[in-house]
Amino acid sequence: MALVPVAEALARLLDGAAPLTGESVPLADAAGRVLAEPVVALRTQPPFNASAMDGYAARSADVASVPAQLEVIGMAPAGRGFSGTVGERQAVRIFTGAPLPEGADTIVIQENARDLGNGKIEVTEQTAEGRNVRRRGLDFGGGDMLLEKGRVLDAAALSLAASANHPSLNVVRRPLVAIIATGDELLPPGSKLGPDQIISSNAYGVAAAAQSVGARALDLGIAADRKEAIAALVRKAVQASADVIVTLGGASVGDHDLIHDVLTGEGMRLDFWKIAMRPGKPLMFGRLGNVRCIGLPGNPVASIVCSQLFLKPLLARLGGRGFRQDVRTARLGTAMPANDVRQDYVRAVVREDAGALIATPFGIQDSSMLKMLADANGLIVREPFAPAAEVGAECSVLMLR
């Protein structure tokens, strides 16, 4: 099978991917979720003309010239309005949020009123009609469109939905990613290692990448290098209703690289296997019914880079989210040799200098070196057959943070 270009591989992986079905969740659990349908106001806000300040509800005609003496005939705290009517040269003590009493059309703020005792006040500043009054429906009216489908529910959106009297919202179901590591040499962190064993680290990075775009991650653990062990975890992923199965390692062509055989044996229809990129050449993609299967390379750096390029865009689309890689233009901090047939993603440190970005690649690019990846904040993207480039040459950088 020929090497598939990166852009073509991504297009094939995303083909037919659409937001998952909606589910209703309580408002308290909806933070960060994506709306599956628009939100329409179930009420008017504010539902009445309301005071915007603490002070006195009065008639603007009575405070058009000052000083003016008014008789205080009652009180209107928030949540309990004054039931009477404000007449000529009368006022009601009112607090923020309380309904404006009938007959009143303005609020004299308390700083502009002096208590004379015996139920009377003296207004010291003119107050025009409608001053410090929030009119009914100022924010929105019943039936108004408040939030569009696809909106990520942040603090403001959630508060708006709550004020519109929605106790729950219909949101896109979060994609479930089942992660299966493979390899007899792997043990979980904290294990006592034998002389031929290493720590299984890739699953944690892949899970973090999935969660960063709103997906759920289900770590199914480590499968031994036996077909039956791998098949058992694949079936477990299907039983868990995973939307995506990610396997780690075992997707190459060695005698112990069994993922392809197991997945096709379980019914997967292979789409592609091997991409023209570095790191990440042995990436595999296929479909097992409605489940998308991605075989990531076992090398840690390749696994994380492929998660950034392929897994995150897929999960974002399934979760109804927009996603765009942060690619910027920079200048090379060191010279780079000509590239070969594969698209190269070179770990680099990107810094700003005199308003321009300078990208300096690390001298070693071994795909097992996680510390270098953690230190890098960008990947220099070199197209296939790119010629040698000198210091200061323009380059494209995929920012990682």
Side-chain angles (χ1 to χ4, degrees):
M1 185 176 288
L3 297 181
V4 179
V6 171
E8 180 184 336
L10 179 61
R12 286 162 66 170
L13 186 141
L14 294 178
D15 183 42
L20 300 173
T21 55
E23 60 181 358
S24 180
V25 300
L27 208 60
D29 297 330
R33 302 294 295 271
V34 178
L35 282 174
E37 61 183 28
V39 173
V40 175
L42 301 179
R43 61 185 292 271
T44 296
Q45 175 66 15
F48 42 72
N49 295 335
S51 176
M53 302 286 286
D54 291 348
Y56 296 88
R59 304 184 331 146
S60 57
D62 292 336
V63 292
S65 60
V66 292
Q69 287 192 15
L70 302 178
E71 178 187 2
V72 179
I73 61 171
M75 182 178 294
R80 191 170 70 252
F82 178 74
S83 60
T85 300
V86 176
E88 186 176 353
R89 297 199 175 277
Q90 292 180 334
V92 168
R93 182 73 167 112
I94 197 168
F95 297 88
T96 304
L100 186 69
E102 186 176 345
D105 61 11
T106 192
I107 303 294
V108 177
I109 62 174
Q110 59 190 19
E111 294 87 346
N112 294 339
R114 185 164 62 91
D115 189 354
L116 300 177
N118 297 319
K120 294 185 180 300
I121 59 169
E122 182 179 75
V123 178
T124 59
E125 294 286 342
Q126 275 187 338
T127 308
E129 181 180 350
R131 190 71 180 272
N132 304 315
V133 175
R134 294 176 180 143
R135 293 295 178 187
R136 181 180 186 276
L138 174 67
D139 197 356
F140 54 81
D144 285 355
M145 172 70 70
L146 300 182
L147 298 168
E148 298 286 347
K149 175 182 177 180
R151 170 71 180 263
V152 178
L153 291 165
D154 55 13
L158 284 170
S159 293
L160 176 58
S163 70
N165 206 26
H166 285 275
S168 60
L169 294 171
N170 192 24
V171 297
V172 178
R173 183 171 61 78
R174 296 172 62 200
L176 177 62
V177 184
I179 303 171
I180 302 171
T182 65
D184 290 336
E185 76 280 16
L186 300 178
L187 287 177
S191 299
K192 184 175 181 180
L193 299 178
D196 302 318
Q197 293 176 308
I198 60 174
I199 293 296
S200 177
S201 60
N202 296 9
Y204 300 95
V206 172
Q211 291 162 352
S212 73
V213 290
R216 297 170 293 150
L218 173 63
D219 188 347
L220 292 178
I222 303 167
D225 282 325
R226 298 191 306 276
K227 288 185 178 180
E228 59 271 22
I230 299 169
L233 292 187
V234 170
R235 292 168 191 155
K236 192 172 182 179
V238 173
Q239 290 167 0
S241 299
D243 301 291
V244 179
I245 296 175
V246 174
T247 59
L248 304 173
S252 189
V253 292
D255 291 340
H256 295 284
D257 295 328
L258 307 173
I259 294 298
H260 171 265
D261 290 346
V262 170
L263 287 173
T264 53
E266 293 295 313
M268 183 190 76
R269 179 172 54 84
L270 181 66
D271 192 311
F272 60 79
W273 186 8
K274 300 178 188 175
I275 299 181
M277 66 176 287
R278 182 190 303 108
K281 175 184 174 182
L283 186 140
M284 181 178 65
F285 173 64
R287 300 169 195 258
L288 180 57
N290 293 325
V291 183
R292 286 171 165 80
C293 301
I294 301 177
L296 293 179
N299 282 321
V301 174
S303 177
I304 299 302
V305 170
C306 288
S307 293
Q308 177 70 35
L309 294 175
F310 299 102
L311 182 62
K312 288 172 68 172
L314 172 62
L315 295 177
R317 184 169 293 188
L318 293 176
R321 298 172 184 272
F323 183 83
R324 187 176 182 179
Q325 302 284 9
D326 184 6
V327 178
R328 306 184 194 181
T329 300
R331 299 285 177 180
L332 286 176
T334 60
M336 298 190 74
N339 195 19
D340 60 15
V341 67
R342 291 191 279 170
Q343 188 155 306
D344 211 352
Y345 293 86
V346 182
R347 283 156 283 168
V349 173
V350 185
R351 60 182 176 85
E352 187 172 344
D353 183 24
L357 293 180
I358 307 298
T360 305
F362 290 100
I364 303 175
Q365 292 289 321
D366 190 284
S367 59
S368 68
M369 300 172 67
L370 276 173
K371 184 180 184 304
M372 188 182 299
L373 180 62
D375 290 342
N377 62 340
L379 299 171
I380 298 172
V381 184
R382 305 209 73 211
E383 298 295 330
F385 306 111
E390 300 298 323
V391 174
E394 192 174 274
C395 64
S396 292
V397 179
L398 170 59
M399 300 300 295
L400 299 176
R401 50 185 169 83

